[in-house]
Amino acid sequence: MSDTFYTHLPILTELSQIVKPSNFHPAPADWWVALSDVRNSTQAINAGHYKAVNMAGAASIVALLNCAPADSIPFVFGGDGATLLIPPDLLEVARATLAGVRAMVQREMQLDLRVGFVPLAEVRAHGVEVGVARLRISPHYDQALLSGGGTALAERLIKDPTTALRYLLPADAPLREADMTGLECRWQDIPSPHGETVSLLVMAVPGMPPDAASAIYRQVITEIEAAYGQEQDYHPLAVPNLHLSFKLQDLLGETKFRTPPRMIARWIYMAQIWGLNLGVRLYTMGEVLRGKRPWWQDYREQVFRTADYKKYDDTLRMIIAGRPEQRQQLSAFLEHAYQQGQLVYGLHVTDRALMTCLVFERMGRQVHFVDGADGGYSRAAIELKDRLKRFTPHQ
């Protein structure tokens, strides 16, 4: 079956391996590119609803993972949406499931989720590719990497008013109730270990030959390390900073997605989460007083190891913790490279990160999507798109 393609890909161990085009393998010709994103996400973020925007993006992923064989669907979380590759045998299920997610996001969050599907054959007809690689983040999570320009083209086709109707999921598309099992949002915002949390997007200029683009990304990664050090130095999370939330507002998003729209069911579910969080805290305090290592410490380390905070889908996306002078050093390089016509970029600065989590096994299969607070990737994308509009090739 075509859904074994991703399962059988070789495993990469470092994000820096994106600079080698041979590490990417063409997706099967009969697959589809599916994209979701929140329309007018900037307005929602400005109104303080950035957690709801993140939940809507993650919902697209968890709903499809819950109706497909494990590890059969490559995906990339983008903050306000997601990119997924769909094998043909799952296409109709995926369409109905994302129609259900769209309806749920509208009903529960009053957000408009755009959903579109583009056949890979049509992407290739435009002269671009969707190459896929598989990066091992932990024994419990392999992250998809996408290259070749195909997903960026699919996004343009879905958003361009002259082509959108051909690819957008119709408003009256058949839908199935989306299974949100595993979608969680129970953490407090995570303060930066070093003062700043930077949401960074970098894209080699469109149309650049693959080898030249690879050289650009290699240089960007080198400059990030020159400014911030190694991964352990700029990781946006620190285990001591991971704390469960007791704010009902923080728990409301998960509650809305995981329960029927009945008040009593939602109060019961939220009370259960709140009580569980309290139980974990009391248990941990008791174990510490007895001089024992609590299970909770092991779980927080598991969360740290399965954090999704750096990725690549024709755009390098990273959440980085550091100091202002480190950001300024990196920004100076990026701006120079932009002025030279080599890349476009966007970044957003805050003092904390947030996590939206998919937890299928408490000490096993899970992934924790990290974004910058107050808009993170979405606000960085605004900067990147603005630079792209103003971009003129360097002569």
Side-chain angles (χ1 to χ4, degrees), residues 2 62 72 136 189 223 240 262 270 286 300 316 395:
S2 59
V62 71
S72 61
R136 178 136 298 167
D189 287 3
E223 293 294 333
R262 298 193 299 271
M270 189 178 292
R300 290 199 300 175
L316 181 64
Q395 301 297 323

Side-chain angles (χ1 to χ4, degrees), residues 33 37 46 49 55 94 99 153 169 178 201 216 309-310 341 345 391:
V33 180
D37 75 292
N46 287 341
H49 303 311
M55 287 286 282
L153 172 70
L169 194 64
L201 301 180
I216 292 296
Y309 72 96
K310 53 180 184 175
Y345 72 98
F391 171 74

Side-chain angles (χ1 to χ4, degrees), residues 81-96:
T83 302
L84 309 102
L85 301 183
I86 310 297
D89 44 311
L90 292 175
L91 178 62
E92 292 310 311
V93 170
R95 290 173 66 89

